[in-house]
Amino acid sequence: MNAPTDLSMKTDEVLRVELAVFRREHRDLDEAIHALVDKGMGDQLTLQRLKKRKLRLKDIIAQIEDRLTPDIIA
């Protein structure tokens, strides 16, 4: 996972594409975690690593969404 560290250098179009990719990867990880838990096949270390990766993706998604959403001063 090559997470963007400097969002200011990327265009909105690039960020939207990356956002879609990261959302899909987040969904895939969620499905994989649930499948491993349901089948009882995942060891704790593997599950912990997948969950940690999923949380990192969630943070990246939030950063991109914040950048793409304009600030509205009420």
Side-chain angles (χ1 to χ4, degrees):
M1 170 179 67
N2 294 329
T5 54
D6 186 12
L7 299 178
S8 64
M9 299 299 292
K10 298 185 179 189
T11 65
D12 285 356
E13 184 177 330
V14 170
L15 290 174
R16 283 188 186 92
V17 170
E18 286 184 347
L19 182 60
V21 170
F22 291 140
R23 283 180 175 161
R24 180 66 195 159
E25 187 175 349
H26 186 269
R27 244 186 335 264
D28 290 346
L29 280 172
D30 192 44
E31 291 171 6
I33 291 167
H34 285 292
L36 288 172
V37 170
D38 289 345
K39 293 181 180 179
M41 294 176 57
D43 62 280
Q44 289 301 316
L45 184 59
T46 300
L47 289 172
Q48 187 177 27
R49 287 179 179 166
L50 290 174
K51 288 178 181 181
K52 198 171 196 177
R53 186 170 166 198
K54 187 178 159 193
L55 284 174
R56 281 195 306 263
L57 281 171
K58 183 179 177 183
D59 289 342
I60 293 167
I61 290 168
Q63 288 175 355
I64 294 173
E65 288 173 340
D66 287 347
R67 165 85 194 295
L68 290 174
T69 305
D71 292 335
I72 299 173
I73 300 173

